Amino acid sequence: IRILQKLNRVEADELIQAAVRQHPENPLVHFLHYKYRSGRRDLNALDSLSRAIDLEKKASRRDAWLEILLEECGEGADRALAERHLKSIREAPGHTVETLLALAERMYRFAFYELALATLVDAADLNPGPEAGVEIEVLSAKAQAALGDRAGAGLRLEALIDRIGTDFWRRSEIMSLRINLLSSDAERKRLLSEARIRFEANPENEAAVLEYAELLYASEERTEAAKVLVGACDVLPKSARIEAEALKILERLGDDRKLWEFLTARLERFPERNDLRYRLVKSAYLLGKVAEASDDFEMVLAQLESDEERQRRLLELARFLARTKLHKEAAQLFQRVLVMDPGRFDVRRELAETH
């Protein structure tokens, strides 16, 4: 049948029709029938695809066919077909938190929001771990918002933000989602105002600083967020979390001058911090402070314990400089690597690319 279809022979049409009658329980035949009907713009073509999914025993193939059905189902009867398959999967035994989450994400992706919420309740009942628990709440909030319950979704996210730590890696994402769910500028300003009051009342409270900065960043006030964090580093100089957030936002802003000033100030306070000095080296190169960057980089290398570490750092910086179009400076570092290890043909190639 496939060969005849590729050759565009009319016999293929007759053969596929006969095959469906002769092999009514064969999923591949029904899938080929779907392709045949779809090619002829048959409005009921997805009936054949649905039948193929029902009959198919191989999970990977069944899943791939279901994806086609979900992509093409549109509205009306075809969408009801897709929903029936999703419900069937949900009701099947043996689910884990992970399989239910994946199913709910698929439901959400294809706008089966109520079904996604019900599936997420099932996942929550299986005692998920911390990461999965956060994803269940985030996806539930998105589904609620899509169904029009933005207030309920916001309350769900607020409760989640209260539970997760200030250093949780998805906190900024969740905070941004919470801000986006607010229905008016007045609500956003209220939330920001409340966070600012908490921050100003206790500027030495790390959580209050991070919360206010995160809300500013999520509200697109990114320069102000950076200003708050940079200032907080003076008040709480030993807070690794505040320093990390300040560096992250300054780098995202792309303000090389501000980043260089911040790193310079931090090194004056902590001159032994080789990690900060290396960041300063890259920042200085980007500002055209080549001599200064070179001197600082020699200090970075001097603090490393082995030639292997020094070679790795030389190569890392050389590649960074090559990516930022500082080819002359990159070539000098590639050459130093080759002096240490002449057999590095990969480095010879990278050096040639700088010319």
Side-chain angles (χ1 to χ4, degrees):
I1 292 170
R2 285 172 172 163
I3 292 171
L4 290 172
Q5 284 179 330
K6 285 183 178 179
L7 294 173
N8 203 27
R9 299 282 292 274
V10 294
E11 296 98 311
D13 298 350
E14 299 170 1
L15 189 55
I16 188 62
Q17 301 273 21
V20 171
R21 291 192 297 270
Q22 294 171 17
H23 305 283
E25 302 301 313
N26 187 305
L28 281 171
V29 168
H30 283 283
F31 181 73
L32 288 173
H33 194 210
Y34 149 71
K35 298 288 285 185
Y36 161 77
R37 297 175 74 180
S38 179
R40 280 149 183 77
R41 302 187 183 281
D42 185 334
L43 296 178
N44 296 314
L46 291 181
D47 290 345
S48 294
L49 180 57
S50 177
R51 181 61 178 155
I53 295 168
D54 284 332
L55 294 170
E56 181 56 54
K57 303 299 182 186
K58 191 174 181 181
S60 60
R61 183 180 290 161
R62 189 170 61 244
D63 190 68
W65 289 351
L66 177 57
E67 189 74 9
I68 296 172
L69 177 59
L70 290 166
E71 288 173 352
E72 296 188 5
C73 68
E75 298 296 334
D78 288 341
R79 187 166 178 83
L81 275 179
E83 185 171 6
R84 177 177 67 79
H85 284 288
L86 290 172
K87 285 180 176 178
S88 177
I89 296 172
R90 178 193 169 203
E91 293 164 3
H95 276 299
T96 64
V97 172
E98 288 71 27
T99 60
L100 286 171
L101 253 177
L103 178 59
E105 287 168 354
R106 192 179 214 179
M107 292 167 170
Y108 176 80
R109 181 158 51 94
F110 289 102
F112 291 91
Y113 301 125
E114 291 181 352
L115 201 51
L117 274 173
T119 304
L120 290 165
V121 170
D122 296 343
D125 288 342
L126 295 181
N127 192 28
E131 290 280 351
V134 168
E135 180 57 26
I136 287 170
E137 292 302 303
V138 170
L139 191 54
S140 294
K142 289 180 178 179
Q144 276 182 271
L147 288 168
D149 184 12
R150 296 174 68 88
L155 290 173
R156 183 187 289 272
L157 290 174
E158 283 185 13
L160 178 60
I161 290 166
D162 288 340
R163 292 203 306 272
I164 61 178
T166 55
D167 59 346
F168 184 64
W169 67 281
R170 295 185 65 186
R171 187 180 175 90
S172 295
E173 171 203 344
I174 297 166
M175 190 74 75
S176 180
L177 180 59
R178 172 68 188 102
I179 288 289
N180 290 334
L181 286 175
L182 294 174
S183 60
S184 68
D185 287 338
E187 285 186 275
R188 292 187 181 91
K189 289 177 180 177
R190 175 189 58 80
L191 202 62
L192 270 173
S193 177
E194 291 172 356
R196 179 176 56 80
I197 289 169
R198 287 191 291 272
F199 160 66
E200 291 178 348
N202 193 356
E204 295 183 2
N205 184 300
E206 183 184 68
V209 172
L210 291 169
E211 179 193 29
Y212 184 43
E214 286 168 350
L215 282 170
L216 285 168
Y217 189 84
S219 302
E220 304 297 325
E221 296 186 37
R222 297 177 178 179
T223 301
E224 185 62 25
K227 182 179 177 181
V228 166
L229 289 166
V230 169
C233 281
D234 292 331
V235 179
L236 295 166
K238 294 183 179 180
S239 172
R241 178 64 174 158
I242 291 176
E243 179 192 273
E245 288 299 309
L247 286 168
K248 181 175 71 176
I249 292 180
L250 287 169
E251 287 173 350
R252 286 179 178 175
L253 286 173
D255 190 332
D256 296 324
R257 170 65 60 177
K258 291 287 186 185
L259 179 59
W260 179 82
E261 290 173 354
F262 176 69
L263 288 166
T264 299
R266 294 296 286 172
L267 267 173
E268 287 176 359
R269 189 182 288 269
F270 302 107
E272 75 286 355
R273 291 274 304 276
N274 213 30
D275 60 319
L276 290 177
R277 192 172 300 279
Y278 181 57
R279 283 177 177 265
L280 182 64
V281 167
K282 293 195 285 187
S283 181
Y285 269 120
L286 292 176
L287 288 172
K289 298 175 178 290
V290 176
E292 182 179 317
S294 180
D295 289 343
D296 274 322
F297 187 52
E298 293 306 317
M299 293 176 66
V300 170
L301 294 176
Q303 291 188 47
L304 298 178
E305 295 182 355
S306 68
D307 284 343
E308 183 180 351
E309 289 179 287
R310 282 184 275 276
Q311 184 181 138
R312 188 183 307 115
R313 188 63 87 187
L314 279 163
L315 192 53
E316 182 183 297
L317 182 59
R319 287 169 174 164
F320 167 79
L321 294 174
R323 287 195 304 272
T324 53
K325 311 301 182 185
L326 295 171
H327 297 300
K328 177 183 176 182
E329 292 78 7
Q332 292 171 351
L333 298 183
F334 282 132
Q335 288 166 351
R336 289 179 64 176
V337 172
L338 289 171
V339 169
M340 298 175 74
D341 188 354
R344 291 291 300 268
F345 292 103
D346 58 324
V347 177
R348 291 185 184 277
R349 175 182 55 78
E350 291 180 86
L351 172 60
E353 290 172 355
T354 64
H355 297 299

